[in-house]
Amino acid sequence: MIKHIINSSLQNRFIVLLAVLFLAIAGFWSYQTMPLDAIPDLSDVQVIVFTDYPDQAPQVVEDQVTYPLTTAMLAVPHAKVVRGYSFFGLSFVYIIFEDGTDIYWARSRVLEYLNYVRGWLPQGVSPALGPDATGVGWIYEYALVDKTGKHDLAQLRSIQDWYLRYPLQTVPGVAEVASVGGYVKQYQVEVDPNALQAYQIPLSKVIEAIKRSNNDVGGRLFEMGETEYMVRGLVISSPSVISKPFRWASMPTGRPYVFRMLRIFRSGRNCAAAWWS
């Protein structure tokens, strides 16, 4: 048999050379196009449902959030395992699908069932899907450092959240950009309790007045000289505006209440969001 193959190859040298050339080209093409992964993704196809239920004990989170979500996710097609975990103010539900299930198909099915189960949850609780990353994904960490000393931690966090985060999310292969550290800028209102007692104003009225002062109000259009004008009420968008005298109620004597009588308005930082976001 081997002697016959050798004789045939010697008698058909041109065909043998063509076959060798074809195999060499096919091998080079396979080498260039074959997908290689140093760490193959052998993890299960899973979708994570995260729910924030602030200031609630784990047992309350389990009864009111985790259990309804877990029982609803059991009916998702091709789901083989559903696991629920309850923590203080947090709920995690892991839905593991059968092998070969497309991750985006699985996420769309879970989203459909989430819309169905939202009515079972407490008011104000809104579950959300986790990032479409696997358990063997890479985590890249970087730090914003100001060597000039011109920016504090709050300003660096604002640069991260409003300038760097969104371009990084457009990079192919990036599932999520999470900000950790720094201080989230916020506007704080410190009310003087002695002033509230002196003017006999409950704190709920001050909170309601601040909410009303931060809502844009839509009006209507009117035409004047073949030009349309839009009437609207603008939101109070800066400390300089809200620090001006602002009338929101009247005293029994007819004198208007002004925010300046009751509080100190300043720009502060949210330390809790800085460390747990």
Side-chain angles (χ1 to χ4, degrees):
M1 182 65 182
I2 299 178
K3 183 179 179 180
H4 178 70
I5 295 176
I6 295 175
N7 293 331
S8 299
S9 300
L10 293 175
Q11 295 175 2
N12 302 279
R13 298 177 182 178
F14 181 73
I15 298 178
V16 173
L17 291 176
L18 288 179
V20 172
L21 181 63
F22 174 77
L23 292 176
I25 294 175
F28 181 77
W29 178 82
S30 300
Y31 172 77
Q32 295 290 332
T33 59
M34 180 179 297
L36 299 177
D37 195 348
I39 304 178
D41 187 3
L42 303 178
S43 60
D44 296 322
V45 179
Q46 68 175 2
V47 178
I48 304 174
V49 179
F50 166 76
T51 309
D52 188 11
Y53 197 10
D55 304 329
Q56 297 296 331
Q59 186 61 44
V60 177
V61 176
E62 174 71 24
D63 296 338
Q64 300 185 11
V65 178
T66 306
Y67 181 76
L69 289 176
T70 304
T71 54
M73 293 301 120
L74 290 173
V76 177
H78 302 293
K80 62 179 183 179
V81 178
V82 178
R83 301 189 182 102
Y85 301 92
S86 301
F87 303 94
F88 183 81
L90 300 174
S91 171
F92 292 91
V93 177
Y94 295 81
I95 304 98
I96 301 178
F97 289 83
E98 299 175 355
D99 294 337
T101 304
D102 183 70
I103 180 62
Y104 297 104
W105 182 89
R107 291 174 64 87
S108 63
R109 297 288 81 78
V110 171
L111 189 60
E112 290 179 2
Y113 280 79
L114 279 182
N115 294 330
Y116 170 73
V117 79
R118 287 182 191 273
W120 303 355
L121 302 179
Q123 185 177 5
V125 176
S126 179
L129 296 182
D132 56 345
T134 64
V136 295
W138 290 86
I139 299 178
Y140 179 79
E141 297 182 358
Y142 65 92
L144 294 182
V145 180
D146 182 18
K147 296 182 179 180
T148 62
K150 297 181 179 179
H151 300 84
D152 56 15
L153 293 178
Q155 293 173 337
L156 292 177
R157 179 61 184 264
S158 299
I159 294 174
Q160 158 65 22
D161 290 340
W162 299 104
Y163 293 95
L164 294 179
R165 177 183 177 184
Y166 300 113
L168 290 176
Q169 287 180 338
T170 62
V171 177
V174 175
E176 183 185 14
V177 179
S179 301
V180 179
Y183 300 108
V184 179
K185 184 179 180 180
Q186 64 176 198
Y187 296 118
Q188 301 172 350
V189 178
E190 296 183 0
V191 181
D192 186 2
N194 297 325
L196 291 179
Q197 184 178 8
Y199 293 109
Q200 298 181 355
I201 302 174
L203 184 61
S204 59
K205 284 191 175 182
V206 179
I207 297 175
E208 181 182 358
I210 295 175
K211 290 181 179 179
R212 287 165 48 192
S213 67
N214 282 274
N215 291 330
D216 285 339
V217 180
R220 59 176 297 178
L221 295 176
F222 68 93
E223 186 175 352
M224 180 183 298
E226 298 183 356
T227 303
E228 289 185 346
Y229 296 89
M230 180 176 61
V231 180
R232 62 182 181 137
L234 295 179
V235 67
I236 298 177
S237 56
S238 64
S240 60
V241 176
I242 197 173
S243 60
K244 296 179 180 179
F246 183 77
R247 175 175 176 171
W248 54 278
S250 297
M251 301 181 185
T253 58
R255 181 184 175 185
Y257 291 121
V258 179
F259 278 141
R260 187 176 298 171
M261 300 176 181
L262 306 176
R263 57 94 188 101
I264 299 174
F265 188 86
R266 69 179 186 180
S267 175
R269 61 193 186 185
N270 186 359
C271 297
W275 296 111
W276 294 102
S277 60

